[in-house]
Amino acid sequence: MSLLYRTIFSAPHLDIVDDAADAFGSWIDSKGIGLSVPKSGSVTASDAELVVTRATADQLKAIRLTLHEERIDERWSTTVTAIDDGVDPCVWIDLERVSSDPYGRPPIVAVPRVVETLLQHGDCHVGPTKFAVIPELVDAAATDELIKQLLDPERRVPLIVMSKDRYATVEGALERGGQLLKKVLGLAPVFVLEAEASAKLETALGPDLKVYGGAVRSYLPELTIPDRQPERHPFIAGTIFSSQTANAASRIQRTLTQQAIAQRPPAIYRERVAMMPGFPHHQGGAEEDDELVAELVDVERERDSLLGQLRELQDELEYSALQLEEAESELDSAQARVRYLEGRLRAANDQAAYEATPAASIPETAESCTEAVGFARQYLTGVELGDTDYPASGLDTYAKSGSWAKKAWRVFRSMEDYAELKANDEFAGDFLAYCKDSPQGRTVVPAGWVALKESVSTDNNPKYRSARTFPVPAEVSEDEEMYMCAHVRLEAGGRPAPRIHFYDDTSGPTGVIYVGYFGEHLPNDQTN
């Protein structure tokens, strides 16, 4: 079976076993299958099978209901497991599929309607996060509560925040939020920001994590300010979400589902319910039970490892897609600028409009990370690279080294142009502000690549600080070394996630940017 969807939530206000059976029965009736939920056992129709298992032991009650539906060349299975231990009743819902054509078009995944039915019953939640069946409108007064939820260290599920664009009514924004919520029901709640709330959220979280103009951001758990990696919180621009709402919602669903299906079944199921008669993994003898449990633990460990690798690949793919969109947008803007300038030249009868582009005085691109380092030393005067040849050459052992090399050379040239403007008193801000400002005729990198700080945990850890401390001239520091927390991210997720760490002395005595390190992501709480 291929697991396509999973949600697990607490349901303290439900008579969970009976309510789950009733909700499942209503859902089957709405499908017109013609089956009734039995007390236990299985019933079949021409193209469907319904299996029900119940068990009771001491204070524990459990039910597992599975509907298998046969379709052309594929089989879909929806399973609802409800467990009431008298302390923390919970529901676990899975959607699975097998196909005779596994390499065919990926299926469109719809959240089973039984999920909505159960969530409507009461206070269903995961940790401190409540699941709702309609999006929640957030005005300026309610923003503080949303920020509190976003930064709650106990949060275990994403929160999806959508902003209202200037042209949409509140009703229209909520309707669009409802379309999104249908795709992520049981995975994350959806919040819709009014304009003042959007501005207030940006003030609290910073520009790297803002939501504006109809855009949508999925804030993953363990959000911090500043966040260690803002790009890990997926963002979809308002223009894309408004014009392609269904596709954008499916994209958000895919991202969240890859994380949700990696959840292990509830602990009470693994430790008690799975051993009860009739439930999967139950066997007759105690010895067989022990062997099966040991085998299950091994299988789950292997599965968790594979899912971890899959999540890393999915994160890398999603980030690459965002980078591609960003690059295409930059290319469109650059081409539009070229057409405009060529038109002006032709209008002025300037022959330069018809001349071939002359060769640049410095290379336009680098083919390897080692070459990017060499070019920086050979051609740039406002950027000085330290002893980073070995870690840079390590990046060249990866398949994506060519892409990283081109980005790194662009970063170094951006730093050179920035240092030149600072030296001529033509710019007063820092490197991040320079990238945001994007001066015409100058090389810049996307501002989202640049981070001027590290996380608090990294700053306060001597081991991590030491790994980011690199030599500088005595004019810059009497110790002849500097903690270089400022860095440029050449890739957000996965490994090796290359970084360029630097110290900006363009306003100091040397007027130079010092690059202390170019290589794989340095150690922190996530890598160690």
Side-chain angles (χ1 to χ4, degrees):
M1 282 284 187
S2 175
L3 183 59
L4 302 177
Y5 171 89
R6 169 171 287 177
T7 182
I8 302 171
F9 54 85
S10 296
H13 294 164
L14 300 181
D15 183 0
I16 192 59
V17 171
D18 291 337
D19 284 341
D22 292 343
F24 205 82
S26 297
W27 173 59
I28 290 176
D29 289 343
S30 71
K31 295 172 75 69
I33 293 175
L35 293 176
S36 299
V37 177
K39 190 72 175 176
S40 63
S42 64
V43 291
T44 60
S46 58
D47 55 0
E49 179 186 18
L50 173 59
V51 182
V52 180
T53 302
R54 292 177 184 260
T56 303
D58 300 327
Q59 300 295 318
L60 182 66
K61 294 189 299 181
I63 187 171
R64 186 178 179 90
L65 308 105
T66 301
L67 176 66
H68 301 291
E69 298 176 89
E70 297 291 344
R71 303 177 188 174
I72 300 175
D73 295 330
E74 60 184 5
R75 185 191 206 201
W76 290 72
S77 299
T78 305
T79 301
V80 174
T81 304
I83 305 168
D84 188 353
D85 62 353
V87 178
D88 185 24
C90 65
V91 178
W92 160 28
I93 303 172
D94 279 356
L95 177 64
E96 300 170 281
R97 169 185 175 266
V98 291
S99 173
S100 58
D101 184 16
Y103 299 104
R105 184 176 180 179
I108 297 174
V109 179
V111 176
R113 289 194 302 275
V114 68
V115 176
E116 181 177 2
T117 302
L118 286 168
L119 291 178
Q120 286 174 331
H121 273 269
D123 180 23
C124 300
H125 60 90
V126 176
T129 305
K130 182 178 179 180
F131 280 157
V133 295
I134 59 173
E136 180 177 338
L137 183 65
V138 179
D139 58 16
T143 311
D144 288 340
E145 176 57 32
L146 174 59
I147 294 169
K148 181 180 177 182
Q149 290 189 56
L150 289 169
L151 299 178
D152 190 337
E154 301 299 318
R155 178 163 66 91
R156 291 152 42 199
V157 296
L159 301 185
I160 298 178
V161 179
M162 172 188 146
S163 59
K164 185 182 83 65
D165 65 55
R166 71 173 75 178
Y167 306 107
T169 62
V170 170
E171 293 74 16
L174 287 172
E175 181 181 352
R176 195 174 293 161
Q179 290 179 262
L180 173 56
L181 185 55
K182 286 182 179 179
K183 281 288 189 178
V184 299
L185 204 60
L187 303 175
V190 173
F191 299 86
V192 178
L193 301 178
E194 292 188 343
E196 291 183 8
S198 182
K200 192 172 180 180
L201 187 71
E202 179 181 353
T203 300
L205 303 185
D208 289 341
L209 291 169
K210 65 182 178 180
V211 188
Y212 58 93
V216 180
R217 191 183 294 276
S218 304
Y219 293 95
L220 302 187
E222 299 181 9
L223 173 68
T224 58
I225 304 300
D227 195 71
R228 67 180 187 276
Q229 191 176 309
E231 291 86 357
R232 73 186 182 95
H233 306 284
F235 178 85
I236 294 181
T239 52
I240 295 175
F241 187 69
S242 61
S243 62
Q244 307 174 42
T245 302
N247 289 338
S250 294
R251 178 172 165 182
I252 294 170
Q253 181 198 57
R254 283 195 300 272
T255 301
L256 300 191
T257 300
Q258 289 298 328
Q259 297 156 342
I261 63 176
Q263 298 178 88
R264 301 185 70 181
I268 192 169
Y269 182 88
R270 303 194 310 268
E271 295 166 4
R272 295 184 61 187
V273 177
M275 312 307 162
M276 298 170 74
F279 281 82
H281 312 312
H282 173 77
Q283 295 289 336
E287 183 176 339
E288 290 177 331
D289 280 352
D290 292 341
E291 291 177 358
L292 188 61
V293 170
E295 181 181 349
L296 178 62
V297 169
D298 290 340
V299 170
E300 287 186 337
R301 184 181 296 116
E302 181 179 358
R303 185 208 64 179
D304 289 346
S305 175
L306 291 173
L307 285 174
Q309 296 175 39
L310 179 62
R311 286 197 303 277
E312 287 186 1
L313 291 172
Q314 182 70 21
D315 289 345
E316 186 173 339
L317 179 62
E318 290 289 338
Y319 183 66
S320 296
L322 290 173
Q323 285 189 314
L324 178 59
E325 289 181 9
E326 187 176 53
E328 289 175 339
S329 178
E330 288 186 358
L331 178 60
D332 289 343
S333 296
Q335 289 177 334
R337 181 68 178 172
V338 168
R339 288 193 297 270
Y340 166 73
L341 294 175
E342 287 181 340
R344 291 290 300 273
L345 289 172
R346 284 192 294 270
N349 294 319
D350 192 320
Q351 291 303 306
Y354 307 98
E355 294 175 0
T357 304
S361 58
I362 63 174
E364 290 290 342
T365 188
E367 299 302 326
S368 70
C369 297
T370 302
E371 187 174 61
V373 170
F375 282 169
R377 293 198 177 108
Q378 180 178 355
Y379 294 103
L380 308 182
T381 58
V383 182
E384 185 171 317
L385 273 69
D387 184 15
T388 191
D389 300 72
Y390 181 74
S393 65
L395 294 175
D396 287 330
T397 63
Y398 292 88
K400 296 182 70 174
S401 64
S403 172
W404 299 332
K406 291 175 174 60
K407 291 180 181 179
W409 180 227
R410 180 179 170 186
V411 170
F412 297 148
R413 290 172 60 196
S414 297
M415 290 177 170
E416 176 78 0
D417 280 4
Y418 162 70
E420 181 181 329
L421 288 179
K422 291 290 288 287
N424 295 331
D425 294 327
E426 296 177 35
F427 189 80
D430 55 30
F431 183 59
L432 176 58
Y434 164 81
C435 293
K436 289 180 178 178
D437 193 55
S438 299
Q440 288 289 346
R442 297 288 180 169
T443 303
V444 298
V445 297
W449 293 12
V450 183
L452 300 183
K453 298 179 181 179
E454 287 281 12
S455 65
V456 174
S457 60
T458 297
D459 286 341
N460 294 336
N461 186 305
K463 176 182 176 182
Y464 302 155
R465 284 185 67 91
S466 176
R468 292 161 173 78
T469 299
F470 303 101
V472 293
E475 308 97 280
V476 178
S477 170
E478 292 182 359
D479 298 331
E480 296 188 359
E481 62 180 19
M482 185 67 69
Y483 172 50
M484 298 188 185
C485 56
H487 58 279
V488 179
R489 301 176 282 247
L490 301 188
E491 191 147 308
R495 295 176 182 172
R499 297 291 188 266
I500 296 173
H501 283 262
F502 66 93
Y503 176 74
D504 182 357
D505 194 49
T506 55
S507 298
T510 66
V512 170
I513 288 185
Y514 295 92
V515 174
Y517 177 84
F518 171 31
E520 296 190 17
H521 196 303
L522 292 169
N524 61 12
D525 287 337
Q526 281 66 53
T527 60
N528 265 23

